[in-house]
Amino acid sequence: MMNYFPDEVLEHVFDFVTSHRDRNAVSLVCKLWYRVERYSRQRVFIGNCYAISPERLIARFPGVKSLTLKGKPHFADFNLVPQDWGGYVQPWIEALARSRIGLEELRLKRMVVSDESLDVLSRSFTNFKSLVLVSCEGFTTDGLAAIAANCRFLRELDLQENEIEEKKNHWLGCFPDSCTSLVSLNFACLKEINLAALERLVARNPNLKSLKLNRAVPLEALQRILMRAPQLVDLGTGSFVLDRDSDDSETYRKLRTTILKCRSIRNLSGFLEVAPHCLPAIYPICVNLTYLNLSYAAGIHGSELIKLIRLCGKLQRLWILDCIGDKGLEIVASTCKDLQELRVFPSDPFGAGHDAVTETGLVAISSGCPKLNSLLYFCQQMTNAALIAVAKNCPNFIRFRLCILDPTKPDPVTMQPLDEGFGAIVQSSKRLRRLSLSGLLTDRVFLYIGMYAEQLEMLSIAFAGESDKGMLYVLNGCKKLRKLEIRDSPFGDMALLRDVGKYETMRSLWMSSCDVTLGGCKTLAKKMPRLNVEIINENDQMEFAPEDSQKVEKMYLYRTLVGPRKDAPEFVWTLV
Amino acid sequence: MSPPLLSAEEEGGQSNVSLVSSSPTMDCISQSGSGLKERNYLGLSDCSSVDSSAVSSLSEEKKNNLNLRATELRLGLPGSQSPERESELCLLKSGKLDEKPLFPLLPSKEGICLPSQKNVVSGNKRGFSDTMDGFSEVKSSMYTEGNWMFQTASDSEAPQSVGQGKFSGNSGMNVALSPRPSGAQPAIMKELPTKVLQQERPRGTNGTSHNPKTASNNNNSSAPAPKAQVVGWPPIRSFRKNSLATTSKNNDEVDGKPGPGALFVKVSMDGAPYLRKVDLRTYATYQELSTALEKMFSCFTLGQCGSQGAPGREMLSESKLRDLLHGSEYVLTYEDKDGDWMLVGDVPWEMFIDSCKRLKIMKGSDAIGLAPRAMEKSRNRN
């Protein structure tokens, strides 16, 4: 029946299908749909840049306008992946430029970006509008200058937690006077900025909705900027510090007045440096906030945090440091009834942390905030009882990441592993998609995960389990598993090789400091030609004549349609 | 969406996987010179993906394990109960437990009667509720929030399970957090790369209760001991770590607390194909830093040595590298906050850490002219 519709009708229908997965599903129905879908696809998401080549992307989706690419494995965030492992964006940009793709948006995560790439990017796509770089590296402010200077219709430049070498140029000044289209600008990860250029830029971009400043923007400048941009929805402050002497009270007063006019601010972050006595200036806007990120504000003590949070009744997402304490979390629980996402970061990751949070705070949150669906919680300790209570109170978790700072710590009350607690979580939150474990854990927790976590897509395991059975439970039971990352756990070749076909249903598997051997990895690589099985060797751990029985320190495997990558450095071996 | 790839795994009746034949195709890595050993990694008749077929394909070897597991886990299958065990599971949910498909690795044979086989094969949800109904009313009253005293497992296995957890013990990269308590060898500590042994952190207040696990990394005393840091733990992005470190450093002048956090800087070396990163906070003196860098980069200088005609050497010892470095073949330099390249070693260590942005191991010939500037600069500072 559908054959009688002209392609345009199909295309129009497909326009309403927006999620990547749905569009992927659409393309599998029949050849006609495949054809119509591929020509009309504008947004493409590639979760592993080595799974496919730029050429094949272009061949299939010639109309792509927005591309998202991810490079290094997640554990690269924690220094487990050596420099120069890979993840270069250059070949992608070159290929897209050569084929004259009308690229408008590029979103990169954990990739290596060079100044040259940015330069080519800025010159090759006349309609380029949006650049989002998350946890990337390899470029300097020269690259940013090219973007500023050449992208005439730039709307978004969002730099999140990148490592950027800062040169003495004033890249922000490279935005031409004709640039008035900016909607979103985030340079919080830089250390310096040209203040004058910034203020002029803000002044001539009336559509600016999201602005995230860095440490180098003092409070006086913030006040002037907010005067120019009262329409901001999303604000990241820079340095929020004023000395207490009388010279600055004028500034403070002006700031308070200006902030009163910023009625649109819903998301507030920054406070990379903060003096607590300045905080009352933002009290007036707290009532409207839906997102508050104070996770970099190490200078605010618990009591001041609490005063602030009591005003934020509409908060849906809160990122905070653990100096808020359990008491502070109780206040959050009683104030923020709409809370959906909570992230509590450690203010002192390597210390004992008396102000830190424990299971008490988490239970309080769970009982006060039943809509909670996303959690990242660094704490000193956790009990099974608490987790079971949390599971009962909050059955809607999509993301549950618990990090007990002592990675193999049992329940301090019962001295038992935390298997039952996590078991309760996975059993009650049927829509759980992401889970990170910590604490003392046996194979049993993995049995529970395999049994109950039907929607689980990403699982992070560290210092857990007792035998291969643990890993087997997960591989066997979690049908929707896409990413599995394991470190320092006793899983070996038996688990690795039991179901080799499973890995083609997943994006990637990372195993470091486990018990898999070189021989096991070789076997796997041989059986599965459409996997890249990469071994990372550092510090001469594998001598020139490695034995098959030798344990592999770091293995990263991923499905791919384009074979071993050609840009692997010397210390990465791709087994075939 | 595509079904698991089965074709690669159907190897007929092979029960052992031999690795002998695998090596010739490994052209990506060098051949092992010594004899290759046969290893049986699978111990199964096949390694196909486990759908319903796996239920029936459990091999003989697995039966023992699974029977053992049956006794350990006792997930409420009919005929296998112990009351406490049931109550735990029941209390995971106060009402009826969700029905679950039978997990294929669970025992499906003698001594344990399954619900009718059809439930398994057809994929119908398994009736845990069938088993649990009789107990749930009785036990649900035990489930009270807040007063929850979790039943400890009654198995003989359980108390040991605390200690039997394997911790990292691989070839030296990560610090093992504790030895296995049942008398197995203590934590293996090979020479650790410098980036692993970080400042020791004091134990939390619960240290005394962790008897099986409190042995320190140095294999002495069972008293609570400071723990060494592990690479990449806790899992916090370096950006955040560095940022907190900077912030707390700025606050420290007031508070007087020691500044935590890592300070990673890049280290490059002329001629080396890739860079490294070091955490400056893990060193207390220039000597420590220098030693660490020598170790890290010794493999690169190997090539250099050869090309300059070091007679017949294939291994470069560290002392030779040190000689190379001190013999002004290479010098260590750093880029400071102002963007200037300085010789390492002129200023006090603390000041150096404060201002160092990146390190570079330069050839001595390129470093001429740095020294005078360094002295001048530190003079200007003071």
Side-chain angles (χ1 to χ4, degrees):
Chain A
M1 184 61 185
M2 293 299 275
N3 289 344
Y4 298 118
F5 289 167
D7 288 359
E8 294 79 27
V9 172
L10 272 182
E11 198 177 305
H12 183 66
V13 172
F14 292 169
D15 277 350
F16 295 99
V17 180
T18 48
S19 92
H20 295 293
R21 291 183 200 192
D22 290 344
R23 287 201 75 111
N24 292 345
V26 157
S27 69
L28 291 177
V29 168
C30 63
K31 285 187 180 166
L32 172 66
W33 283 35
Y34 176 86
R35 183 166 50 78
V36 173
E37 195 283 321
R38 72 179 258 250
Y39 283 114
S40 61
R41 173 104 68 146
Q42 294 188 344
R43 312 184 67 86
V44 176
F45 170 86
I46 296 178
N48 173 9
C49 64
Y50 290 120
I52 194 68
S53 69
E55 289 72 28
R56 288 183 66 161
L57 162 73
I58 294 166
R60 180 167 172 192
F61 299 119
V64 61
K65 289 199 164 64
S66 164
L67 177 62
T68 303
L69 281 172
K70 295 191 182 180
K72 300 184 202 177
H74 174 234
F75 276 176
D77 280 350
F78 317 129
N79 296 326
L80 288 178
V81 176
Q83 288 285 97
D84 303 324
W85 172 88
Y88 305 103
V89 77
Q90 179 79 359
W92 293 87
I93 294 181
E94 282 176 352
L96 291 164
R98 265 198 309 271
S99 303
R100 304 192 196 290
I101 297 291
L103 192 70
E104 294 184 10
E105 179 179 289
L106 186 62
R107 310 167 75 93
L108 305 178
K109 187 167 186 181
R110 280 191 290 271
M111 293 199 70
V112 178
V113 180
S114 63
D115 285 343
E116 195 201 333
S117 305
L118 292 175
D119 191 60
V120 173
L121 177 69
S122 71
R123 292 176 197 284
S124 309
F125 309 104
T126 48
N127 270 340
F128 192 74
K129 293 191 173 70
S130 168
L131 180 62
V132 179
L133 302 178
V134 180
S135 294
C136 296
E137 56 167 356
F139 59 106
T140 77
T141 45
D142 285 348
L144 297 179
I147 297 286
N150 302 327
C151 299
R152 294 166 52 209
F153 304 113
L154 195 68
R155 283 202 209 139
E156 177 175 30
L157 179 59
D158 187 355
L159 307 170
Q160 297 177 32
E161 300 193 348
N162 302 292
E163 279 196 29
I164 306 175
E165 190 188 322
E166 298 182 50
K167 304 238 174 123
K168 289 200 165 70
N169 66 350
H170 294 310
W171 67 275
L172 204 63
C174 295
F175 279 106
D177 289 343
S178 54
C179 168
T180 57
S181 51
L182 274 180
V183 173
S184 166
L185 177 64
N186 172 5
F187 57 89
C189 61
L190 291 176
K191 297 195 176 63
E192 307 294 338
I193 201 68
N194 180 339
L195 276 181
L198 173 64
E199 293 185 41
R200 284 196 305 269
L201 188 66
V202 171
R204 66 177 184 272
N205 280 280
N207 294 325
L208 204 57
K209 291 278 186 296
S210 171
L211 180 62
K212 295 184 184 163
L213 311 171
N214 69 358
R215 251 179 235 275
V217 180
L219 212 53
E220 307 84 37
L222 173 66
Q223 185 269 325
R224 289 192 296 268
I225 286 169
L226 288 179
M227 282 283 288
R228 303 285 202 166
Q231 77 281 2
L232 283 179
V233 173
D234 194 353
L235 172 65
T237 67
S239 170
F240 210 79
V241 176
L242 279 177
D243 290 333
R244 281 184 190 262
D245 60 31
S246 55
D247 289 351
D248 283 330
S249 64
E250 177 65 17
T251 312
Y252 185 70
R253 197 189 52 76
K254 274 200 271 185
L255 179 68
R256 292 196 70 146
T257 319
T258 310
I259 285 186
L260 275 171
K261 300 197 185 110
C262 299
R263 290 265 145 226
S264 306
I265 294 182
R266 297 287 173 270
N267 305 326
L268 186 60
S269 60
F271 300 99
L272 303 165
E273 276 171 10
V274 53
H277 62 269
C278 298
L279 279 180
I282 61 166
Y283 286 174
I285 53 173
C286 287
V287 65
N288 295 325
L289 291 181
T290 55
Y291 170 56
L292 178 61
N293 181 353
L294 294 170
S295 63
Y296 286 98
I300 309 182
H301 297 300
S303 53
E304 285 120 6
L305 277 178
I306 288 172
K307 262 193 265 173
L308 191 63
I309 283 173
R310 278 191 204 278
L311 302 169
C312 303
K314 291 196 194 153
L315 222 47
Q316 294 172 13
R317 296 166 58 209
L318 175 62
W319 293 26
I320 201 139
L321 286 172
D322 62 3
C323 44
I324 193 174
D326 286 335
K327 285 275 168 280
L329 289 178
E330 285 168 23
I331 307 292
V332 173
S334 60
T335 311
C336 309
K337 292 307 187 184
D338 287 336
L339 196 68
Q340 294 174 27
E341 175 178 327
L342 175 67
R343 297 196 190 192
V344 180
F345 294 93
S347 46
D348 188 11
F350 308 112
H354 296 294
D355 284 332
V357 296
T358 69
E359 74 275 13
T360 311
L362 185 60
V363 172
I365 290 280
S366 73
S367 62
C369 310
K371 294 187 195 173
L372 195 66
N373 62 37
S374 175
L375 180 74
L376 172 61
Y377 197 75
F378 286 83
C379 57
Q380 292 290 328
Q381 61 181 46
M382 185 53 57
T383 64
N384 282 308
L387 285 174
I388 289 170
V390 170
K392 182 164 194 277
N393 293 335
C394 297
N396 299 315
F397 280 115
I398 298 174
R399 278 169 238 111
F400 190 91
R401 294 194 278 162
L402 184 68
C403 179
I404 301 168
L405 290 170
D406 177 351
T408 52
K409 189 164 179 167
D411 179 328
V413 172
T414 64
M415 296 314 294
Q416 291 302 300
L418 291 175
D419 301 334
E420 299 302 320
F422 279 106
I425 296 285
V426 295
Q427 215 239 339
S428 109
S429 287
K430 303 195 189 326
R431 285 187 292 239
L432 191 70
R433 294 207 300 256
R434 182 168 179 184
L435 178 64
S436 296
L437 307 171
S438 62
L440 183 66
L441 296 163
T442 71
D443 286 344
R444 193 153 178 210
V445 69
F446 299 112
L447 176 63
Y448 289 143
I449 292 172
M451 287 174 69
Y452 295 115
E454 290 182 342
Q455 303 299 318
L456 194 67
E457 296 179 3
M458 181 169 177
L459 179 61
S460 306
I461 301 172
F463 305 99
E466 303 159 293
S467 75
D468 284 326
K469 290 185 225 163
M471 186 170 164
L472 286 175
Y473 290 142
V474 170
L475 290 176
N476 190 44
C478 298
K479 302 297 183 202
K480 298 208 177 170
L481 195 64
R482 290 191 298 120
K483 286 180 281 182
L484 180 59
E485 46 187 24
I486 308 173
R487 62 166 294 181
D488 294 279
S489 300
F491 306 137
D493 294 337
M494 200 276 272
L496 181 71
L497 295 172
R498 169 74 159 260
D499 178 9
V500 292
K502 173 78 174 174
Y503 306 122
E504 274 201 11
T505 70
M506 294 165 54
R507 185 189 298 174
S508 64
L509 168 68
W510 168 281
M511 292 181 78
S512 60
S513 304
C514 297
D515 292 346
V516 292
T517 68
L518 181 59
C521 295
K522 282 190 201 175
T523 304
L524 178 58
K526 185 168 184 233
K527 284 180 182 289
M528 301 296 294
R530 289 198 297 202
L531 296 180
N532 278 352
V533 180
E534 294 186 6
I535 310 288
I536 296 174
N537 299 290
E538 295 174 284
N539 297 341
D540 301 322
Q541 288 214 341
M542 295 243 166
E543 298 110 16
F544 292 130
E547 298 257 328
D548 279 358
S549 56
Q550 193 167 351
K551 285 189 188 168
V552 162
E553 187 52 38
K554 292 176 184 172
M555 178 203 73
Y556 179 58
L557 65 83
Y558 51 89
R559 66 181 175 189
T560 177
L561 294 176
V562 291
R565 58 188 173 108
K566 301 192 179 39
D567 62 4
E570 277 175 12
F571 55 87
V572 171
W573 296 347
T574 304
L575 306 180
V576 291
Chain B
M1 271 184 81
S2 55
L5 186 67
L6 293 178
S7 55
E9 302 117 39
E10 248 110 48
E11 308 219 76
Q14 233 180 336
S15 58
N16 285 332
V17 176
S18 159
L19 288 181
V20 177
S21 55
S22 62
S23 43
T25 58
M26 307 294 169
D27 49 355
C28 272
I29 61 171
S30 51
Q31 293 289 324
S32 165
S34 54
L36 295 165
K37 301 190 185 72
E38 201 172 297
R39 297 251 181 269
N40 177 4
Y41 288 101
L42 302 182
L44 293 177
S45 54
D46 67 73
C47 52
S48 57
S49 69
V50 280
D51 285 326
S52 51
S53 60
V55 178
S56 47
S57 71
L58 296 167
S59 70
E60 283 302 313
E61 290 177 29
K62 290 286 151 240
K63 282 184 186 175
N64 293 337
N65 292 344
L66 293 174
N67 275 339
L68 186 64
R69 204 159 50 239
T71 55
E72 293 168 34
L73 299 175
R74 285 183 247 165
L75 291 167
L77 293 172
S80 66
Q81 311 67 342
S82 82
E84 312 93 72
R85 185 59 63 166
E86 230 107 47
S87 67
E88 288 163 12
L89 290 166
C90 170
L91 292 158
L92 288 179
K93 198 177 164 131
S94 53
K96 274 167 76 136
L97 275 181
D98 243 3
E99 302 170 30
K100 287 297 303 176
L102 176 65
F103 190 75
L105 283 183
L106 286 177
S108 59
K109 60 202 74 56
E110 58 263 41
I112 296 168
C113 45
L114 275 181
S116 59
Q117 186 64 19
K118 68 170 164 60
N119 283 343
V120 176
V121 172
S122 64
N124 280 351
K125 306 256 168 140
R126 175 146 172 12
F128 260 121
S129 53
D130 296 336
T131 356
M132 300 315 299
D133 268 347
F135 295 95
S136 58
E137 285 147 40
V138 173
K139 303 293 179 184
S140 60
S141 57
M142 284 176 62
Y143 180 69
T144 50
E145 269 176 44
N147 288 340
W148 175 237
M149 270 311 295
F150 195 78
Q151 306 258 2
T152 55
S154 56
D155 301 330
S156 57
E157 174 101 356
Q160 289 162 8
S161 71
V162 173
Q164 272 175 7
K166 288 190 193 181
F167 310 118
S168 68
N170 279 338
S171 36
M173 201 55 182
N174 293 311
V175 174
L177 292 177
S178 70
R180 286 164 234 173
S182 48
Q185 77 255 31
I188 296 167
M189 290 270 296
K190 281 192 184 179
E191 171 184 296
L192 292 169
T194 48
K195 66 181 170 178
V196 174
L197 255 189
Q198 315 293 347
Q199 66 259 29
E200 297 180 325
R201 64 183 178 93
R203 286 187 70 94
T205 51
N206 290 319
T208 47
S209 52
H210 295 187
N211 267 335
K213 298 163 43 49
T214 53
S216 72
N217 300 308
N218 296 322
N219 300 326
N220 47 19
S221 77
S222 56
K227 284 191 162 184
Q229 281 176 27
V230 177
V231 175
W233 192 269
I236 306 172
R237 284 186 182 164
S238 356
F239 180 85
R240 185 175 284 280
K241 267 194 268 196
N242 284 353
S243 180
L244 279 176
T246 317
T247 312
S248 56
K249 203 158 40 122
N250 295 340
N251 293 342
D252 276 347
E253 281 116 35
V254 182
D255 291 356
K257 278 189 294 190
L263 191 58
F264 283 96
V265 297
K266 290 186 186 177
V267 188
S268 59
M269 175 164 166
D270 283 343
Y274 54 90
L275 281 64
R276 303 302 303 262
K277 261 195 173 171
V278 290
D279 177 1
L280 289 180
R281 287 205 201 282
T282 64
Y283 313 112
T285 64
Y286 285 116
Q287 185 54 44
E288 284 177 27
L289 174 64
S290 173
T291 316
L293 290 177
E294 280 159 21
K295 285 205 181 94
M296 249 188 220
F297 285 92
S298 58
C299 53
F300 298 130
T301 321
L302 200 135
Q304 293 283 351
C305 183
S307 66
Q308 282 161 11
R313 271 184 206 272
E314 280 168 7
M315 299 297 287
L316 182 69
S317 66
E318 278 173 33
S319 55
K320 175 101 177 130
L321 173 67
R322 206 174 298 127
D323 291 343
L324 272 181
L325 288 177
H326 290 168
S328 63
E329 177 69 32
Y330 289 97
V331 291
L332 186 59
T333 62
Y334 72 101
E335 185 182 6
D336 72 355
K337 278 184 179 147
D338 304 327
D340 297 319
W341 286 94
M342 321 280 291
L343 261 182
V344 166
D346 293 328
V347 298
W349 176 256
E350 287 305 324
M351 197 187 295
F352 163 68
I353 288 200
D354 254 354
S355 55
C356 171
K357 270 174 36 179
R358 58 196 301 191
L359 289 162
K360 189 166 179 181
I361 303 176
M362 278 183 189
K363 287 207 173 66
S365 43
D366 295 338
I368 291 172
L370 279 185
R373 266 171 47 211
M375 293 314 296
E376 206 179 278
K377 216 170 182 179
S378 59
R379 233 179 283 126
N380 288 342
R381 284 221 179 91
N382 306 333

